Amino acid sequence: MLSEKSTEVVRATLPAVGAAIGDITPLFYEKMFAAHPELLRDLFNRGNQANGSQRQALAGSIATFATYLVEHPDTRPDVMLHRIAHKHASLGITADQYKIVHRYLFEAIVEVLGEAVTPEVAAAWDEVYWLMANALIAIEARLYAEAGAPDGDSWRTYRVAGRIDETAEVTTFFVELDLDPGDGGPVPSAKPGQFVSVQVELPDGARQIRQYSITNVHERGLQFSVKRVDAAPDAAFPGEVSNHLHTHATLGSELRLSAPFGDVVLDESSDAPVLLVSAGIGCTPMSGMLAALASSASDRRVLVAHADRTEASDAFRADLRLWTDKLPNAASHVWYEAPTNPDHPADRTGRMDLTTLALPEGLTAYLCGPLPFLRSVRTQLLDKGVPAANIQYELFGPDLFLAG
């Protein structure tokens, strides 16, 4: 809880900080990466830094947390904190790194706001920062302990045991633990919907990390699917990891994977109806959830709604048929913007329209896809009476729901 004195200072200065946060965050990253280039090279997503999405997400999280402290002093935004913590844990963020962030963030605040940052203002926002940082550190410590990596290092070496080209853009990788001496442990357990971080070494020596949803878990390993990202020719880092995996992750090659993390997971203890909604490569966590439901022979009511460009771009087609056929109470609905099959239903052509579906009472909805899609379908579900608490979403990349 923010102290009474700091609450008043933060309330008074929040508009000014909020208005300047768009200038503060890029300066913060510039200062931090100048002093610690290894963080940009080996930890932060260079693509998200180049396109500005990480700066937007950081600004949104700071503003959201500070606003909660002022307007809801007896609560905190735990959903946001847990989402950030799971991402941090998958990267191996350590408590000491929060000190680095603190130093350069506050240098940027002082440089942008100048004389407005009095000692009283600095102390109040310092309190905000450490309340948020210490909350994240505590959550991340629990996640590391659960993953059997109390030091924050959950990385293990896997070998590519198989790969399938699902579409021209999407490849599924089957990886198994490299059980050389020194790593005889079991495959880590994963909850349906979770992801792993994959680290690759690129030609310039950078060890970049990206997250991919787990689509199934096997006795000796797991599988995940990667969509090749073709960015604009003038992009600074056009899909460098996805292209590297498609080209270089051949049979027998090694990959470094984190333990599974992620807070948007199927509640396997419930018998409530489930609605799985996805677009494009957002199908991957849904495939993992469907696989888990099928493997347990669940008799829950399961509705699947997926949207894609065409049949040829739909990497979900085979899994959707496989898993729904094994579930006694499952039904699927697929929308294509430009179907090539003349028999594709007219009411499933174009953008997804959930208003046409009869939804059972008490369902939990899981969403994954691009940000505009998520906003659209979430609004549709709210309009149909689904409680906001029953709608969970996964967004690949920085969470820009918080930034507007």
Side-chain angles (χ1 to χ4, degrees):
M1 181 182 295
L2 195 61
S3 68
E4 184 175 341
K5 179 180 179 181
S6 292
T7 297
E8 295 309 311
V9 174
V10 171
R11 179 180 287 114
T13 56
L14 187 54
V17 174
I21 199 73
D23 296 320
I24 292 170
T25 52
L27 182 59
F28 151 66
Y29 281 117
E30 179 184 325
K31 287 176 171 290
M32 184 172 69
F33 293 148
H36 297 275
E38 74 281 0
L39 294 179
L40 178 59
R41 185 185 66 236
D42 299 333
L43 184 63
F44 283 82
N45 182 319
R46 299 193 294 193
N48 291 338
Q49 286 297 322
N51 64 29
S53 58
Q54 184 60 55
R55 296 195 295 272
Q56 287 180 268
L58 174 62
S61 64
I62 292 172
T64 297
F65 189 79
T67 301
Y68 254 80
L69 290 178
V70 170
E71 297 184 357
H72 309 282
D74 296 327
T75 64
R76 67 181 191 181
D78 278 335
V79 170
M80 181 191 77
L81 291 172
H82 278 83
R83 181 174 293 264
I84 295 172
H86 275 272
K87 182 69 172 290
H88 283 182
S90 80
L91 295 169
I93 298 294
T94 63
D96 286 345
Q97 288 169 327
Y98 283 92
K99 299 175 184 177
I100 297 174
V101 170
H102 175 269
R103 173 180 174 178
Y104 297 104
L105 179 60
F106 274 74
E107 283 187 8
I109 290 173
V110 170
E111 186 168 328
V112 170
L113 295 179
E115 295 179 357
V117 186
T118 64
E120 184 181 51
V121 169
W125 281 94
D126 185 77
E127 191 175 339
V128 170
Y129 176 83
W130 284 113
L131 281 171
M132 184 172 178
N134 286 328
L136 289 171
I137 290 168
I139 298 169
E140 289 154 21
R142 292 196 296 272
L143 293 176
Y144 288 137
E146 292 169 2
D151 60 352
D153 182 3
S154 72
W155 297 99
R156 297 174 72 182
T157 301
Y158 289 72
R159 291 188 186 276
V160 178
R163 50 180 287 169
I164 296 175
D165 292 331
E166 307 284 4
T167 70
E169 298 176 316
V170 178
T171 296
T172 294
F173 295 91
F174 301 84
V175 297
E176 294 182 346
L177 275 174
D178 184 357
L179 298 179
D180 287 338
D183 187 11
V187 174
S189 60
K191 298 174 182 177
Q194 288 192 308
F195 56 81
V196 288
S197 282
V198 180
Q199 183 187 67
V200 301
E201 184 170 350
L202 298 170
D204 65 355
R207 292 177 176 158
Q208 283 283 287
I209 303 169
R210 300 292 185 272
Q211 289 72 40
Y212 299 104
S213 297
I214 301 167
T215 53
N216 212 340
V217 178
H218 308 287
E219 183 179 354
R220 292 190 58 182
L222 51 86
Q223 69 185 57
F224 59 91
S225 298
V226 179
K227 180 179 179 180
R228 185 194 299 269
V229 177
D230 294 320
D234 60 347
F237 303 100
E240 54 182 353
V241 174
S242 67
N243 280 275
H244 180 93
L245 289 170
H246 274 248
T247 303
H248 298 289
T250 55
L251 293 181
S253 60
E254 294 186 346
L255 291 175
R256 294 282 286 169
L257 270 66
S258 73
F261 293 102
D263 63 323
V264 180
V265 297
L266 178 71
D267 183 357
E268 296 182 277
S269 66
S270 172
D271 60 0
V274 174
L275 173 64
L276 307 177
V277 185
S278 59
I281 197 60
C283 65
T284 50
M286 307 308 161
S287 184
M289 292 183 190
L290 270 178
L293 288 164
S295 66
S296 65
S298 175
D299 61 359
R300 295 169 71 173
R301 178 83 183 278
V302 179
L303 293 177
V304 184
H306 179 67
D308 228 303
R309 297 191 306 275
T310 68
E311 293 90 338
S313 65
D314 184 1
F316 196 35
R317 295 179 71 190
D319 280 352
L320 181 59
R321 288 193 299 269
L322 175 66
W323 301 130
T324 54
D325 285 350
K326 292 186 176 183
L327 291 166
N329 296 311
S332 62
H333 305 270
V334 179
W335 281 259
Y336 292 129
E337 289 187 29
T340 56
N341 183 349
D343 295 327
H344 187 75
D347 64 349
R348 294 293 183 268
T349 298
R351 301 295 179 89
M352 179 182 289
D353 181 6
L354 296 180
T355 63
T356 64
L357 298 185
L359 302 181
E361 293 289 331
L363 68 77
T364 298
Y366 299 90
L367 321 179
C368 187
L371 182 58
F373 171 83
L374 293 180
R375 285 177 169 154
S376 172
V377 296
R378 185 174 184 274
T379 298
Q380 293 178 43
L381 291 174
L382 291 172
D383 289 345
K384 286 178 71 68
V386 178
N390 289 12
I391 304 174
Q392 299 187 44
Y393 71 89
E394 182 64 271
L395 180 64
F396 296 155
D399 189 348
L400 298 184
F401 252 125
L402 298 175

